[in-house]
Amino acid sequence: MLKKLLFNAIFHFHAQPFSVRCNIVFLLLVTAAKLLYDFLTAHLKKLMSDEKCSAEKVTEMEDVITQMDNYTQQELADLFVKYNVKSPSTGNDLTPPTSFNLMFQTSIGPGGNMPGYLRPETAQGMFLNFKRLLEFNQGKLPFGAAQIGNSFRNEISPRSGLIRVREFTMAEIEHFVDPNEKVHPKFSNVADLEITLFSSKAQTSGQSAQIMRLGDAVEQGVINNSVLGYFIGRIYLYLIKVGLSKDKVRFRQHMDNEMAHYACDCWDAESKTSYGWIETVGCADRSCYDLSCHSRATKVPLVAEKPLKEPISFYLNVVQFEPNKGAIGMAYKKDAKLALEYLAVCDECYISDQEKLLSEKGEFSFETEGKTFTLTKDMVSVRRFQKSLHVQEIVPNVIEPSFGIGRIMYSIFEHSFHIRQGDEQRTYFSFPATVAPYKCSILPLSHNQEFVPFVHQLSEAMTRNGVSHKVDDSSGSIGRRYARSDEIGVAFGITVDFDTVNKTPHTATLRDRDSMRQIRAEVAELPEIVRDLANGTLMWAEVERKYPIFEGQETSRKE
Amino acid sequence: MLKKLLFNAIFHFHAQPFSVRCNIVFLLLVTAAKLLYDFLTAHLKKLMSDEKCSAEKVTEMEDVITQMDNYTQQELADLFVKYNVKSPSTGNDLTPPTSFNLMFQTSIGPGGNMPGYLRPETAQGMFLNFKRLLEFNQGKLPFGAAQIGNSFRNEISPRSGLIRVREFTMAEIEHFVDPNEKVHPKFSNVADLEITLFSSKAQTSGQSAQIMRLGDAVEQGVINNSVLGYFIGRIYLYLIKVGLSKDKVRFRQHMDNEMAHYACDCWDAESKTSYGWIETVGCADRSCYDLSCHSRATKVPLVAEKPLKEPISFYLNVVQFEPNKGAIGMAYKKDAKLALEYLAVCDECYISDQEKLLSEKGEFSFETEGKTFTLTKDMVSVRRFQKSLHVQEIVPNVIEPSFGIGRIMYSIFEHSFHIRQGDEQRTYFSFPATVAPYKCSILPLSHNQEFVPFVHQLSEAMTRNGVSHKVDDSSGSIGRRYARSDEIGVAFGITVDFDTVNKTPHTATLRDRDSMRQIRAEVAELPEIVRDLANGTLMWAEVERKYPIFEGQETSRKE
C-alpha cells in the first residue's frame, strides 16, 4: 500500500439503503498506482546512472523519486512525457494513466437497471450493526465482533497463486474501545512475546527490523497503545499456531505517507515467501473514523454511553460547527437546509479535521444526499465550549485486525514445505496437526485379510472422535506409503502389523510425521491419543515419554 | 422446482477457459415461470367457479391447468390474452412474459470488456477437478468431494428472510460411483431409519406422505438405489442433529415433469415452516450427465478405469456415432471438422438420447466451439458393436446432495423456538448444544467480589477447552439472567453461588436449558462436562445420573 487514494461511495451487494464505509482506502487502486510509480522510478534511476547525466539533473530526478507518492494523475502523466518514458516492449509512447473502477459492478433485478457492486471488504456489516452489537454487550465497551466472508476486487493483474486474486476470503475483527481507555486488560498475556517489528522510524532511517518484547514496544510508544499491541500479539500467536515460521514473520508499521489520515497506527503482519515479504494480516487502529462517517451519512448517532457508577453531572468540552445561516442560504438557496442538517451531526474528530482545512485553505467540501457543498470561512466557524451532561456519550474507537485467509494459507504451504535430509525425492509438509487436512493415516502392513478388522476398528473410532483420517490400503511398501502420506502433510500415521494381530493386548505403531519417530500403543487407545495430538492438548514429546519407542522399523519395512 | 428450463452456457466467476456444467436447470427461471403458472391457474379457477361458465369451457380450462408446466413462453403469452388476464391491482393489460438473465453479469479487468458471471451454484469446481480427485483416490471408485461457498442468483423477488435471497451459502457433495455398482456398503447403517417419504407416485395419486423404513423404500424401488438411499439417510440424520424436528422434515421425490431429463431420481429434503414446506436439501442421482457434458465440451475423457483384480480381456458393448462425412461436409463446409471431432467423443448416455431424437424428430442439434450444428438422419447414424478391451473405462455416475445453508438455519430457528409452559413472556431456542452459538453461560449470583475468581477460573478453563461461553455479570436476578440466556439459546448455564465460595471442594450448579433441571459439580470438573455435552459425547441424562440434582433453586432465586 502506498498512498491514500480515496473513493467516495461504498456499496454492498444487497444494495442496502445505507452501507457506507465512506472514503475507504482503495488498496487496489493504490497497487495499480504503485506499478506506475515503480515503473517511473526504474526509468529515472536508469537515466541517473548514465554518466552523461548532469549533477543538476540527478538532483532533480532524486526529488521526483522522493515525491513520487504525492503526484496526482495529471502530474504523473506529465512526468511520463517529460522524461520520455516509452513502452519497454515496443518502444511506443504510453497513453496517459487512467483510473478505473476497482469494484465489480452488476445489475440487480429483472429490469437490469438497479446497479449493485460486489463488496470489496467484509467489514461494513459490523459497522451497520453497531447499535445491535452494543446492545448485545449490554451497552458496555469494549466489545468485539468478527466476520469471515468473500470479497471481490477487480485486480488489474491477478497472479502469484493465492496472493493476488479477484475473489478472496477475508476475516475481520472490529474491536470497539473507549478512546480514553485504550488499555487491554489481557495485554500482560502477550507482553513477553518477542516479535520482529519493523517500525516506521526504522524504515525511514534505513535501519532493519528488530526483535522486541511486545511490552517494551508499547511502553516505548513504538506501538501506539496496548489494545493494538494485544491484537498484534494474538495475530502473531495465531500465525505461528497455524504453521508460519517465527523467523519468516514480521510486523511492519505503516509509514505516515501510506497510513490513512484517520488512523492512529497501523501494522501489517508480513510473511516472507518466494515472492518477498507479503502482507497477510493488517492491524489498524482506525480511531473513530468509521462510526463517525456512518453517523454523518445516516444522521444516526453511533455512540456508546459511558457506564458511570452513579449518574453524575459533569462538564464536557463540546466542539460544534457554528454555521452562518444567512451566508449558506445565499450560496445554496433551498439546499442550504441539507448543509445545516449535515453540520449539526458532525463529531469532534471530523470537525477538527475540517477546521484545519478552513484555516489552511479557507474552505472545505462535503457531500450529503447526493449534493456537494463547499463552505468557506464566512459560512461556518467552529465553536468550542463546555456543557453540563448527565451521561457521557462516546464515539468508540475501533481496532481492526483484517486477515487475508488465502495469503495465510499460501504462507503455510511455503513455510511448511521441507525435504528429508539426504533424500531430495522425499518432500513433506510439516502442517501443525491442528490445521493438517488429515490428522492421521491408517496403513495395514499388507493386503493380508487379518489386518482388515483392526483397520475398521481404528477408522470407526477416529470418525467417532472427529479425527479426519485416510486409510491407505493400496499396494506399495509401508515406507512408500508413509512417504506419500508425508507428501500431503498428514500429521500422524498408524501401522497395523502382524504384532497387532497376534499379540494381546492388540497394539499398533503411531508415527510422528516430522521426526519420523514411532511409539507402540494399544489399538483401543490410539484414536484418543491422535485426537488429543490433533487438538493440541497433547504433545508428541509427552507421547514418547508415556509409550514404548518403536525403533528403526520404518527403514527395515522399506522394501 | 417445476420444470426443465434449460440454459445453455454456464460460467464461472474466474472466467476459466472451461467451467461448464452444461444445461443446468435454472431453478430461478423456473420459479419465475411458476409465478406465472400460479397466477394463470388462479385466474382460470376463478372463471371456472362462475356459474355461467359452460361445462365445455370448464373442461377446456381444466386441460390448460393440467398442461400448465409444458407451455412455452409464447403459448403462455397467448393464453394470457385468450383468457383476458388483467393486472390484479390496476386492471390493465399485462405485457407478455419476458425472460431475463438469472445470473449476475459483471466486467473483469481494467478495460471492462471481459464479461464474467457470478456462479449460480458451487458444484462446477468438483467436476473440473474430477481427474485430480480420482487420482487422489488412487484411481478407485467410489469417492466423494464436498465444497461450501457462496452462490449468486438474480432472484426476481427476494423475500422471506433467509429463504429467498440473491447471495447464499451452498454446500454440495459430489459422490462418484460406478453405475454398475450402485450399492452403498454402509447403507445398513441407515436402513432402519423411519423417514417420512412423499413419493412421486403418492403426489400424483393424491395420497399423503408416509413414514417408511429406509431399507424398505430402497428394496421396494421407491428410492432408486442404496447409494441415493444412504445419502437420504445421512441428510436426515444431519438435519435432526442440527435441530430440525423429526415431524417437520420430509423427503419429497421429484415428479417426472420437474426432474431433469438426465436424472435417475431426485429427492428434496423439505422442512415445514410458517412459509409452508420449503426445500432445504436436494439429493439427486444425476447419472453420468455432468461428466459427460464436460467431456464433450473439453474433448477430454472424464472416466475411471474399472479396477480389475487381474488384467483380463473382455468384450464391451460399444455405442458410437457413425457420421456420414460427405453429407456433413456438404452441409457445414470447413466447420464439418468441428462436428466430427465432437461426435467422436460423445458417450453412451448422450448418444442414446440423441438417437431417440433422430428417430422421433429426424434430427438433433448441438453446439461446439461457439457454432451450432443440426444433424439429420442422413448425416449421422448410431452404431453398436462389441469390442475387446483390457481395461474397462467407466463414466461414473454422480449422487449430488446439495444443502441450502441459509434455509437450514432458518428452519432451525423456527423448529427450535419455544415458549415456556405457563409463561408467554419466556421464550427460548432449544438449539442442540453442538450448534448453539454459545454452549454455556457463567452467572455469578450477584456482584459480590468473592465470586469473581471462580468466574475467571471457569471462563479460562472453558476457553482452554474450546467451549464458547458468555459471562453475564450484569445486574438482574439469576432467574432473569437465565431467561435472557435461554432467549438466545445458550445450551447450559453455570451459577457461582455462596456454596461455591464457602464449601470445599468448591462446587457450582450446572443447568440444562431445555429441562431447566440442575446438578451440582466441582468447579474444576464443570468445563470438561460442558465440553463433552457440547461435543455430543455426553448426554444430559448421564450427567443427571452421575451428579447430585440441585432442586428447585431457580424459582427461589428469581427475585
Side-chain angles (χ1 to χ4, degrees):
Chain A
M1 281 155 286
L2 247 205
K3 208 188 151 213
K4 301 158 290 250
L5 272 169
L6 306 179
F7 210 87
N8 245 311
I10 290 304
F11 323 75
H12 195 260
F13 186 65
H14 297 293
Q16 282 154 333
F18 231 107
S19 54
V20 177
R21 164 141 151 174
C22 309
N23 298 331
I24 188 182
V25 180
F26 249 165
L27 308 183
L28 271 181
L29 199 46
V30 167
T31 313
K34 179 166 165 39
L35 291 175
L36 290 179
Y37 301 155
D38 290 351
F39 186 52
L40 182 53
T41 305
H43 181 78
L44 294 179
K45 284 191 174 162
K46 201 177 147 202
L47 293 182
M48 285 155 67
S49 70
D50 189 335
E51 284 176 12
K52 290 178 209 152
C53 189
S54 69
E56 197 183 327
K57 272 272 170 200
V58 168
T59 319
E60 180 194 303
M61 288 190 240
E62 271 171 354
D63 269 6
V64 171
I65 292 175
T66 317
Q67 292 294 314
M68 196 62 83
D69 292 1
N70 300 315
Y71 291 120
T72 63
Q73 190 171 319
Q74 187 52 52
E75 286 167 342
L76 208 56
D78 294 344
L79 288 168
F80 271 71
V81 174
K82 181 175 177 187
Y83 291 105
N84 199 27
V85 186
K86 301 286 179 184
S87 158
S89 51
T90 63
N92 291 338
D93 284 342
L94 296 171
T95 53
T98 56
S99 51
F100 69 96
N101 198 338
L102 291 155
M103 289 195 293
F104 289 109
Q105 185 173 358
T106 188
S107 301
I108 298 174
N113 44 15
M114 195 162 102
Y117 294 84
L118 300 185
R119 62 180 186 192
E121 55 168 11
T122 62
Q124 295 92 334
M126 292 180 277
F127 293 106
L128 280 180
N129 287 317
F130 171 77
K131 278 280 183 195
R132 273 177 186 276
L133 293 168
L134 180 66
E135 190 188 328
F136 187 67
N137 202 45
Q138 289 144 13
K140 283 188 289 189
L141 289 179
F143 70 89
Q147 187 170 335
I148 186 165
N150 281 21
S151 298
F152 300 83
R153 292 179 191 174
N154 194 6
E155 272 285 355
I156 194 168
S157 54
R159 59 184 60 176
S160 314
L162 288 171
I163 295 179
R164 195 162 292 287
V165 288
R166 288 184 171 133
E167 178 182 355
F168 55 99
T169 303
M170 284 180 96
E172 289 175 305
I173 298 171
E174 305 295 340
H175 181 81
F176 295 97
V177 288
D178 181 343
N180 307 310
E181 291 174 15
K182 270 192 183 168
V183 175
H184 201 288
K186 292 187 184 168
F187 180 67
S188 59
N189 293 355
V190 295
D192 285 332
L193 289 173
E194 305 267 341
I195 299 182
T196 306
L197 298 179
F198 196 17
S199 70
S200 155
K201 206 172 139 196
Q203 291 166 67
T204 41
S205 63
Q207 293 171 313
S208 56
Q210 76 176 108
I211 296 174
M212 277 190 92
R213 195 181 148 271
L214 205 51
D216 296 342
V218 169
E219 260 166 49
Q220 295 167 25
V222 176
I223 294 170
N224 186 283
N225 57 73
S226 75
V227 185
L228 191 59
Y230 175 73
F231 281 101
I232 288 175
R234 288 293 301 266
I235 291 167
Y236 175 81
L237 289 172
Y238 165 74
L239 293 176
I240 302 309
K241 189 169 185 179
V242 297
L244 268 62
S245 302
K246 279 184 190 177
D247 56 344
K248 291 179 182 167
V249 170
R250 73 177 184 194
F251 283 78
R252 191 182 68 77
Q253 192 172 31
H254 279 206
M255 297 201 275
D256 289 344
N257 66 352
E258 63 181 317
M259 189 153 63
H261 67 285
Y262 48 79
C264 297
D265 195 4
C266 183
W267 292 79
D268 286 345
E270 295 186 328
S271 120
K272 195 178 181 181
T273 69
S274 52
Y275 295 106
W277 285 99
I278 59 165
E279 177 194 352
T280 53
V281 188
C283 188
D285 183 336
R286 295 174 59 90
S287 73
C288 63
Y289 186 72
D290 304 286
L291 288 176
S292 303
C293 285
H294 273 274
S295 282
R296 269 202 304 288
T298 57
K299 290 174 189 142
V300 173
L302 295 176
V303 294
E305 295 192 343
K306 178 102 169 191
L308 299 167
K309 298 237 161 107
E310 297 169 45
I312 49 161
S313 297
F314 67 97
Y315 286 93
L316 180 74
N317 289 316
V318 182
V319 182
Q320 282 181 353
F321 278 125
E322 193 76 2
N324 177 338
K325 290 181 186 172
I328 295 178
M330 201 91 100
Y332 291 101
K333 313 287 185 245
K334 65 177 170 41
D335 291 336
K337 196 166 156 265
L338 292 176
L340 295 176
E341 280 176 3
Y342 181 86
L343 294 175
V345 294
C346 294
D347 61 281
E348 187 177 342
C349 284
Y350 178 76
I351 295 173
S352 299
D353 282 356
Q354 307 317 308
E355 188 179 27
K356 215 172 138 197
L357 286 175
L358 266 186
S359 74
E360 284 172 6
K361 306 200 174 170
E363 62 176 46
F364 71 90
S365 299
F366 58 87
E367 208 187 291
T368 180
E369 311 270 339
K371 303 209 188 299
T372 307
F373 296 88
T374 302
L375 300 189
T376 53
K377 274 182 177 178
D378 60 314
M379 294 179 190
V380 68
S381 57
V382 172
R383 190 178 152 221
R384 289 163 194 279
F385 59 99
Q386 286 203 320
K387 199 175 162 184
S388 141
L389 278 180
H390 293 269
V391 194
Q392 191 183 358
E393 282 189 347
I394 295 162
V395 183
N397 279 12
V398 71
I399 314 288
E400 179 183 275
S402 172
F403 299 72
I405 301 299
R407 290 179 167 204
I408 293 171
M409 277 186 60
Y410 179 81
S411 304
I412 295 172
F413 283 120
E414 274 213 14
H415 294 191
S416 300
F417 184 74
H418 303 287
I419 295 170
R420 293 274 182 221
Q421 227 178 351
D423 188 351
E424 282 194 11
Q425 297 290 309
R426 290 190 67 175
T427 62
Y428 69 103
F429 281 113
S430 64
F431 301 138
T434 29
V435 301
Y438 285 114
K439 311 304 179 195
C440 192
S441 51
I442 305 175
L443 316 174
L445 192 60
S446 71
H447 275 133
N448 192 310
Q449 285 302 306
E450 288 183 286
F451 298 146
V452 174
F454 294 98
V455 170
H456 279 185
Q457 182 192 342
L458 283 161
S459 175
E460 271 169 30
M462 293 236 185
T463 301
R464 232 178 11 253
N465 278 287
V467 179
S468 61
H469 61 282
K470 193 168 158 62
V471 174
D472 184 355
D473 55 5
S474 63
S475 49
S477 70
I478 196 76
R480 190 177 301 161
R481 277 182 284 153
Y482 268 136
R484 204 149 61 193
S485 174
D486 293 348
E487 204 172 18
I488 60 166
V490 181
F492 304 100
I494 292 176
T495 298
V496 173
D497 56 20
F498 288 105
D499 279 0
T500 311
V501 177
N502 300 328
K503 293 192 184 162
T504 43
H506 302 294
T507 61
T509 65
L510 176 67
R511 172 183 177 272
D512 173 51
R513 173 201 57 212
D514 293 350
S515 66
M516 297 192 290
R517 289 164 67 88
Q518 300 184 56
I519 59 103
R520 198 151 190 120
E522 282 186 38
V523 170
E525 279 178 299
L526 280 165
E528 284 176 25
I529 297 175
V530 176
R531 179 196 67 194
D532 293 346
L533 283 165
N535 290 344
T537 53
L538 179 67
M539 294 293 116
W540 178 254
E542 293 169 60
V543 175
E544 282 201 6
R545 276 197 295 277
K546 201 168 158 193
Y547 298 95
I549 302 286
F550 182 74
E551 297 275 6
Q553 294 292 313
E554 185 167 354
T555 326
S556 70
R557 278 175 180 173
K558 264 197 225 169
E559 303 303 82
Chain B
M1 280 158 284
L2 244 208
K3 210 193 150 207
K4 302 160 290 248
L5 272 169
L6 306 179
F7 209 87
N8 244 312
I10 289 306
F11 325 74
H12 194 261
F13 186 65
H14 297 290
Q16 282 154 333
F18 233 107
S19 53
V20 178
R21 164 139 152 175
C22 309
N23 298 330
I24 188 180
V25 179
F26 248 165
L27 308 183
L28 271 180
L29 199 46
V30 167
T31 313
K34 181 166 162 43
L35 292 175
L36 291 179
Y37 301 155
D38 290 351
F39 187 51
L40 182 54
T41 305
H43 182 78
L44 294 179
K45 284 191 175 160
K46 201 175 146 202
L47 293 182
M48 284 154 69
S49 68
D50 190 334
E51 285 176 12
K52 289 177 210 152
C53 190
S54 68
E56 195 184 328
K57 271 272 171 200
V58 168
T59 317
E60 178 194 305
M61 289 189 237
E62 270 171 357
D63 270 4
V64 171
I65 292 175
T66 316
Q67 292 296 313
M68 195 62 83
D69 291 3
N70 300 316
Y71 289 120
T72 63
Q73 191 171 318
Q74 187 53 50
E75 286 167 341
L76 208 55
D78 295 343
L79 287 169
F80 271 71
V81 174
K82 180 174 178 188
Y83 291 105
N84 200 25
V85 185
K86 302 285 180 184
S87 158
S89 50
T90 64
N92 290 337
D93 284 342
L94 295 172
T95 54
T98 56
S99 52
F100 70 95
N101 198 338
L102 291 155
M103 287 196 293
F104 289 109
Q105 183 173 0
T106 187
S107 302
I108 299 174
N113 43 16
M114 195 160 102
Y117 295 83
L118 301 184
R119 63 178 184 192
E121 55 168 12
T122 62
Q124 296 92 336
M126 290 180 277
F127 293 106
L128 281 179
N129 287 316
F130 171 76
K131 277 282 183 193
R132 274 177 185 277
L133 293 169
L134 180 66
E135 190 187 329
F136 187 68
N137 202 45
Q138 289 143 13
K140 286 188 287 188
L141 288 179
F143 69 89
Q147 185 169 334
I148 184 165
N150 282 21
S151 298
F152 300 83
R153 293 180 191 174
N154 193 7
E155 273 284 357
I156 193 168
S157 55
R159 61 184 60 178
S160 315
L162 287 171
I163 295 179
R164 195 164 291 288
V165 289
R166 289 185 172 132
E167 177 183 354
F168 54 99
T169 303
M170 281 179 98
E172 289 174 305
I173 298 172
E174 305 295 340
H175 182 81
F176 296 97
V177 288
D178 180 344
N180 307 309
E181 292 174 14
K182 271 193 182 168
V183 176
H184 201 290
K186 292 188 185 169
F187 180 67
S188 60
N189 293 356
V190 296
D192 286 332
L193 287 174
E194 304 267 342
I195 299 183
T196 306
L197 298 180
F198 196 18
S199 70
S200 155
K201 203 172 142 197
Q203 291 167 66
T204 41
S205 63
Q207 292 170 317
S208 57
Q210 76 177 107
I211 296 175
M212 277 189 93
R213 194 181 149 270
L214 205 50
D216 296 340
V218 169
E219 260 166 49
Q220 294 167 24
V222 177
I223 295 170
N224 186 283
N225 57 72
S226 76
V227 185
L228 192 60
Y230 175 73
F231 281 101
I232 288 176
R234 289 292 301 266
I235 291 167
Y236 175 80
L237 289 172
Y238 166 74
L239 293 176
I240 302 309
K241 188 169 185 179
V242 297
L244 268 63
S245 302
K246 279 184 190 178
D247 56 344
K248 290 179 183 168
V249 169
R250 74 176 185 194
F251 282 78
R252 191 181 68 77
Q253 191 172 30
H254 279 208
M255 298 201 274
D256 288 344
N257 65 351
E258 65 181 316
M259 190 152 63
H261 68 285
Y262 47 81
C264 298
D265 195 3
C266 184
W267 292 79
D268 287 343
E270 296 186 327
S271 121
K272 195 177 181 182
T273 69
S274 53
Y275 294 107
W277 285 99
I278 58 166
E279 177 194 352
T280 54
V281 188
C283 189
D285 182 337
R286 294 173 61 88
S287 72
C288 63
Y289 186 72
D290 304 285
L291 288 176
S292 304
C293 285
H294 273 274
S295 281
R296 268 200 306 287
T298 58
K299 290 173 190 140
V300 173
L302 294 176
V303 295
E305 296 192 342
K306 179 104 171 190
L308 299 168
K309 296 232 163 115
E310 297 170 46
I312 48 161
S313 296
F314 67 96
Y315 286 93
L316 180 73
N317 288 317
V318 181
V319 182
Q320 281 181 355
F321 276 125
E322 193 77 0
N324 177 341
K325 289 182 188 174
I328 296 178
M330 201 91 102
Y332 290 102
K333 312 290 184 237
K334 65 177 169 43
D335 291 336
K337 197 166 155 264
L338 291 177
L340 295 176
E341 279 177 4
Y342 180 85
L343 294 176
V345 295
C346 293
D347 61 280
E348 186 176 342
C349 283
Y350 178 75
I351 295 173
S352 301
D353 282 356
Q354 306 318 308
E355 188 180 26
K356 212 171 141 200
L357 286 175
L358 267 186
S359 74
E360 284 172 6
K361 305 199 176 172
E363 60 175 47
F364 69 91
S365 300
F366 58 88
E367 209 186 292
T368 178
E369 309 272 338
K371 303 210 189 301
T372 306
F373 296 87
T374 301
L375 301 190
T376 52
K377 276 182 178 176
D378 60 315
M379 295 181 190
V380 68
S381 57
V382 172
R383 189 177 152 222
R384 290 164 193 278
F385 59 100
Q386 284 202 323
K387 199 176 164 183
S388 142
L389 277 181
H390 293 268
V391 193
Q392 189 183 0
E393 283 190 345
I394 295 162
V395 183
N397 279 13
V398 69
I399 313 288
E400 180 183 274
S402 173
F403 299 73
I405 301 299
R407 289 180 168 203
I408 293 172
M409 277 186 60
Y410 179 81
S411 304
I412 295 173
F413 283 121
E414 274 211 13
H415 295 190
S416 301
F417 184 75
H418 303 286
I419 295 171
R420 293 275 181 221
Q421 227 178 353
D423 187 352
E424 282 193 12
Q425 297 291 309
R426 289 190 69 176
T427 62
Y428 69 103
F429 280 113
S430 63
F431 300 139
T434 31
V435 301
Y438 285 115
K439 312 303 179 195
C440 191
S441 51
I442 305 175
L443 315 174
L445 192 62
S446 72
H447 275 133
N448 192 311
Q449 285 302 304
E450 287 183 286
F451 299 145
V452 174
F454 294 98
V455 169
H456 278 185
Q457 181 192 341
L458 283 162
S459 175
E460 273 169 27
M462 294 236 185
T463 300
R464 229 177 14 251
N465 279 287
V467 178
S468 62
H469 61 282
K470 193 169 160 60
V471 174
D472 183 355
D473 55 5
S474 62
S475 48
S477 69
I478 196 76
R480 191 177 300 162
R481 278 182 284 151
Y482 268 135
R484 204 146 62 191
S485 176
D486 293 346
E487 204 173 18
I488 60 166
V490 181
F492 304 99
I494 292 175
T495 298
V496 173
D497 56 21
F498 287 104
D499 279 358
T500 312
V501 177
N502 298 331
K503 294 192 184 161
T504 43
H506 302 293
T507 62
T509 65
L510 176 66
R511 170 183 177 273
D512 173 52
R513 173 202 58 213
D514 293 349
S515 66
M516 297 192 289
R517 289 164 66 90
Q518 299 185 58
I519 59 101
R520 195 146 195 125
E522 283 186 38
V523 170
E525 281 178 297
L526 280 166
E528 286 176 24
I529 297 174
V530 176
R531 179 196 67 194
D532 293 345
L533 283 166
N535 290 343
T537 53
L538 179 67
M539 295 294 115
W540 179 254
E542 295 169 57
V543 175
E544 282 201 7
R545 276 197 296 275
K546 197 167 162 196
Y547 298 94
I549 301 287
F550 183 75
E551 298 272 10
Q553 293 292 314
E554 185 167 353
T555 327
S556 70
R557 279 173 178 174
K558 264 198 226 173
E559 308 300 80

